């Protein structure tokens, strides 16, 4: 069995600091973990790691990377002592390179907050080993779908693949609460995204084409001036290869967003 989940991970460490605007998202993450079969290992594609070619963490015990700035001191003392999973990392590297995509193992890179913040909410015991896979800094949507398609070959029992991003990521809009025009634009984009990811009537050729050309969607570039928080979804879709089984609406930083789940 393989499960795939695209999530919102919120603003830096704020979900773990009691921020009220993250309550909806936090609850959705906890409920997802409670309703899914518990995985044996987790592969995370985080919006906060970009490299020239895909990199994969290979360490047995990666350190945490506090890759955020200007938060309270306790933000930099968050602990999530989860183990790596070198066997899974080797499989990920093999699956990617087998499709002709160059990929690199990284024994020094730790886990960024796109991994440890949501997983501390979902699996607080830190008892499920993890591997992290980078985005490519070309930010090409179709290339990230192909990267996900390479992961279809993974033969790892009871694996959870998480795309950790945010289906709305306009930093200026986050800090302009009560902007009805911004919210209307975002709703239009989120509605489009849910339709494309959920519609059983679409062929996979049509779905892949529309996700590859996501910037043509309503208000797409308002919602994503830069697309790194959306692209983990493209990897997830590539790995799934079909419409999602479930779409969930959540709110974080007072903005609507979507999470998508597949069980294969």
């Amino acid at each position: 069995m393989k499960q795939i989940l695209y999530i919102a991970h919120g603003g830096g460490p704020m979900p773990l600091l009691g921020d009220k605007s993250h309550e909806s998202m936090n609850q959705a993450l906890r409920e997802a973990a409670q309703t899914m079969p518990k995985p044996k290992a987790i592969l995370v594609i985080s919006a906060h790691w970009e490299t020239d070619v895909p990199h994969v963490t290979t360490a047995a015990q990666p350190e945490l990377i506090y890759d955020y700035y200007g938060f309270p001191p306790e933000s930099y003392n968050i602990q999530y002592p989860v183990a790596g999973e070198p066997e899974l990392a080797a499989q990920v590297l093999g699956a990617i390179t087998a499709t002709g995509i160059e990929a690199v193992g990284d024994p020094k890179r730790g886990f960024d907050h796109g991994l440890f913040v949501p997983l501390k909410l979902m699996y607080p015991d830190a008892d499920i080993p993890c591997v992290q896979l980078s985005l490519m800094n070309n930010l090409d949507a179709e290339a990230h779908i192909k990267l996900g398609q390479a992961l279809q070959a993974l033969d790892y029992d009871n694996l959870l693949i998480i795309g950790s991003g945010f289906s709305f990521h306009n930093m200026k809009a986050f800090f302009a609460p009560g902007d009805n025009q911004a919210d209307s634009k975002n709703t239009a984009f989120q509605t489009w995204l849910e339709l494309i990811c959920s519609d059983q009537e679409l062929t996979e050729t049509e779905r892949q084409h529309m996700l590859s050309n996501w910037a043509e969607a309503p208000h797409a570039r308002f919602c994503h001036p830069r697309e790194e928080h959306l692209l983990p979804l493209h990897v997830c879709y590539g790995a799934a290869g079909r419409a999602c089984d479930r779409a969930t609406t959540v709110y974080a930083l007072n903005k609507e967003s979507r999470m998508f789940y597949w069980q294969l």
Side-chain angles (χ1 to χ4, degrees), residues 20-239:
K20 296 292 186 182
S21 74
H22 285 82
E23 288 180 353
S24 166
M25 186 199 81
N26 289 5
Q27 183 62 24
L29 290 171
R30 293 188 181 106
E31 289 179 356
Q34 291 165 3
T35 56
M36 296 186 302
K38 187 174 180 179
K40 180 181 176 183
I42 303 173
L43 172 64
V44 177
I45 302 95
S46 168
H48 293 282
W49 190 19
E50 299 175 26
T51 53
D52 52 348
V53 299
H55 280 49
V56 178
T57 59
T58 59
Q61 199 70 51
E63 297 181 351
L64 299 189
I65 303 171
Y66 302 102
D67 55 336
Y68 39 71
Y69 308 95
F71 290 96
E74 59 267 29
S75 306
Y76 306 94
N77 294 317
I78 293 170
Q79 298 299 311
Y80 194 69
V82 70
E85 171 49 307
E87 179 185 342
L88 174 59
Q91 284 200 29
V92 172
L93 285 165
I96 294 171
T97 56
T99 66
I101 301 172
E102 182 182 357
V104 177
D106 192 331
K108 295 183 178 180
R109 214 274 181 177
F111 293 148
D112 62 52
H113 77 273
L115 184 150
F116 70 78
V117 168
L119 291 190
K120 192 171 178 69
L121 291 163
M122 296 174 71
Y123 302 107
D125 293 336
D127 58 349
I128 305 172
C130 296
V131 170
Q132 195 168 329
L133 168 64
S134 73
L135 297 175
M136 294 172 283
N137 58 20
N138 61 18
L139 301 183
D140 180 84
E142 186 172 0
H144 284 84
I145 292 175
K146 290 179 179 177
L147 178 61
Q149 289 170 340
L151 301 179
Q152 292 182 16
L154 289 175
D155 184 20
Y156 191 99
D157 184 48
N158 199 9
L159 174 66
L160 171 60
I161 297 174
I162 292 181
S164 180
F166 213 147
S167 66
F168 178 86
H169 200 257
N170 180 319
M171 295 300 291
K172 290 182 179 179
F174 279 137
F175 300 102
D179 186 339
N180 292 334
Q181 187 176 16
D183 290 344
S184 177
K185 290 178 179 178
N186 182 31
T187 294
F189 178 75
Q190 300 301 326
T191 301
W192 176 89
L193 193 64
E194 180 174 344
L195 176 66
I196 299 310
C197 291
S198 305
D199 189 352
Q200 301 281 349
E201 299 301 317
L202 288 176
T203 67
E204 296 317 314
T205 298
E206 292 169 332
R207 196 183 326 275
Q208 182 170 336
H209 175 79
M210 296 179 84
L211 285 172
S212 294
N213 294 279
W214 68 272
E216 298 175 6
H219 309 295
R221 280 297 179 187
F222 171 77
C223 295
H224 291 278
R226 193 174 187 275
E227 54 265 53
E228 79 284 353
H229 276 72
L230 185 65
L231 290 177
L233 172 61
H234 291 74
V235 181
C236 286
Y237 165 67

